[in-house]
Amino acid sequence: MTAVKSSFKSADILAANGAVCVGCRLGGGIVPTLSAEEATGAPPSGVVRADYVKGVGVCFLYTENELYYSTDMRTYIKLFKYNGQPFTVWQTADGVAYAVAVTKGNTAFCDGTKFSDYLSDKNLYCGAVHCGRLFAAEADNRQKLVWSGAGGVRDWEQGIGAGGYLYLDPDRGDMLDILEFGEKLVLVREYGLTVVNMFGSPENFSVSMTDTDTDLIVKNTARAVGGKLYFFTKSGLCSFDGSRVHYVEHAHAEGLTAVGCVAEYAGKYFAVCQSGLLGKKAVFCYDTENACSYFIDVSAEAVCAADGVYAFADGKIYKLVEGGGWTFTSGRIDFGTCKKKTVTEISARGANGVEIICGSLSRVFENIKGPVRPRMRGSCFTVKLTGTGAVLKASVTAEVTIGI
């Protein structure tokens, strides 16, 4: 005759590998972070890029072929149709700071109150203003770095001390983006970074020797955040500390695809993406201060940072704000055995709702005030918690049958 006994085992819900955080992060418990709140405004739909120039207070929105601008993040005015690959810079002329939208053949200038445009025969692909000059990649040869004269975007006179160009070593491929990083310029290329020193007169310009090869980089994903340059390659999130490139390990890397427009705000890196973990579009956030990642639940086309982070989604605008609701989904919990067991209690003080999932079955508890007792039987489980405030601890207890 076989005696049957049982024992009770508990597991830390927050410690299970594979957890997914939406609107929250882990750090001594569940910590609420950011959620999307719809804001007043009427942006165009189909935004592919959003750039806010903080020193001027101007936001440029780019759809597939139209340029819009706003000075209040509410009203968006169409400027013109454009061709080519657009990008945004800023420059100062006659003591006035301008937000500048560079497109093929046409460049828009806005000082926050009035708009003007400048017709040009230049066809540029990406660029940045550095020490008063525009440094850019030619669209027809993206291994050719060109720079303007000291007059900036409108000054393309060639000569000693004026505009010029440099052909790059082809090994890292074409330029995708150009950014200021500290006192240097970083040329983000298809297969790595090239650091250049562009101070003083052009005869002193030089290319640094760096070990910064990577796999294929995703365009429009590079931003300087917290003293490092962050960007995506086809293998995931990377950082550059000024000397070496490092792959960034974080909890939400699995299935992170279609990464697009990015923004930086308050030490955090934001990117629109498609998440395999969520099964939909969302905004990905990497918090450099706490070295962790999470998602914000909004199906965004683009993001930008002004007095906070804004997300644009199908003709609507959202602001990412503290508070609001969050969802935490645990990793797989099996209590250390593949045997059948019965979950008898879930405790998560501070959570508003609990859902326990086993295969295709689930039980939901709402407006909870204390421990819940699901009495669900199975081999392994996932626990989903929802709430608005912090949760310091969360545990699940099961009765495990032992045959002797």
Side-chain angles (χ1 to χ4, degrees), residues 64-354:
E64 185 177 352
N65 59 8
E66 293 179 329
L67 170 64
Y68 295 76
Y69 87 101
S70 176
T71 57
D72 60 7
M73 301 300 291
R74 293 186 178 187
T75 304
Y76 293 85
I77 300 170
K78 184 167 70 173
L79 293 177
F80 52 75
K81 289 184 177 291
Y82 71 85
N83 295 308
Q85 179 70 41
F87 61 93
T88 302
V89 297
W90 73 273
Q91 81 165 63
T92 300
D94 299 325
V96 178
Y98 292 91
V100 184
V102 182
T103 70
K104 181 181 178 180
N106 202 358
T107 301
F109 292 80
C110 186
D111 64 3
T113 59
K114 59 183 182 297
F115 156 79
S116 63
D117 62 347
Y118 165 68
L119 298 178
S120 168
D121 60 357
K122 288 292 181 183
N123 185 11
L124 306 175
Y125 185 78
C126 59
V129 170
H130 177 67
C131 297
R133 299 175 185 264
L134 174 61
F135 292 84
E138 281 198 348
D140 296 332
N141 183 354
R142 288 187 274 137
Q143 294 177 21
K144 181 181 179 182
L145 176 68
V146 299
W147 55 83
S148 71
V153 177
R154 291 186 176 97
D155 180 8
W156 290 101
E157 182 180 350
Q158 300 287 295
I160 299 175
Y165 60 90
L166 170 70
Y167 287 100
L168 302 174
D169 184 312
D171 287 350
R172 290 174 181 152
D174 292 344
M175 283 180 276
L176 302 175
D177 299 291
I178 300 176
L179 294 92
E180 280 193 305
F181 184 60
E183 297 182 343
K184 297 183 178 182
L185 276 181
V186 175
L187 314 180
V188 181
R189 304 173 65 183
E190 291 177 297
Y191 295 98
L193 309 177
T194 298
V195 181
V196 293
N197 304 292
M198 298 296 186
F199 286 107
S201 57
E203 58 264 27
N204 296 319
F205 292 175
S206 63
V207 178
S208 299
M209 299 299 293
T210 56
D211 181 16
T212 49
D213 292 339
T214 67
D215 58 351
L216 185 63
I217 293 177
V218 182
K219 179 174 172 54
N220 292 336
T221 63
R223 283 291 186 278
V225 190
K228 294 182 180 180
L229 187 71
Y230 288 84
F231 58 95
F232 271 91
T233 73
K234 68 177 184 180
S235 298
L237 184 62
C238 296
S239 69
F240 173 59
D241 60 10
S243 59
R244 294 185 62 190
V245 171
H246 304 271
Y247 284 96
V248 179
E249 294 185 2
H250 62 92
H252 299 94
E254 182 182 345
L256 197 61
T257 60
V259 179
C261 185
V262 303
E264 175 275 330
Y265 188 80
K268 299 176 180 64
Y269 173 91
F270 298 88
V272 301
C273 68
Q274 178 75 31
S275 169
L277 295 172
L278 300 180
K280 60 182 179 180
K281 291 172 65 176
V283 172
F284 166 83
C285 176
Y286 183 76
D287 182 336
T288 64
E289 181 179 353
N290 295 291
C292 66
S293 63
Y294 56 88
F295 294 107
I296 298 100
D297 188 12
V298 57
S299 183
E301 300 163 343
V303 289
C304 72
D307 59 335
V309 179
Y310 289 85
F312 301 90
D314 195 25
K316 296 181 179 180
I317 182 170
Y318 298 83
K319 189 172 184 180
L320 307 190
V321 298
E322 294 183 353
W326 52 259
T327 300
F328 173 87
T329 305
S330 76
R332 180 177 182 269
I333 300 172
D334 62 7
F335 301 91
T337 174
C338 61
K339 293 182 178 180
K340 292 276 190 177
K341 69 278 294 183
T342 301
V343 173
T344 59
E345 181 178 288
I346 298 173
S347 177
R349 181 178 295 179
N352 297 337
V354 172

Side-chain angles (χ1 to χ4, degrees), residues 346-355 364-373 384-386 391:
I346 298 173
S347 177
R349 181 178 295 179
N352 297 337
V354 172
E355 181 180 3
V364 177
F365 301 85
E366 297 177 339
N367 302 315
I368 63 173
K369 303 299 182 182
V372 298
R373 294 173 174 82
K384 182 182 292 185
L385 304 176
T386 57
V391 173

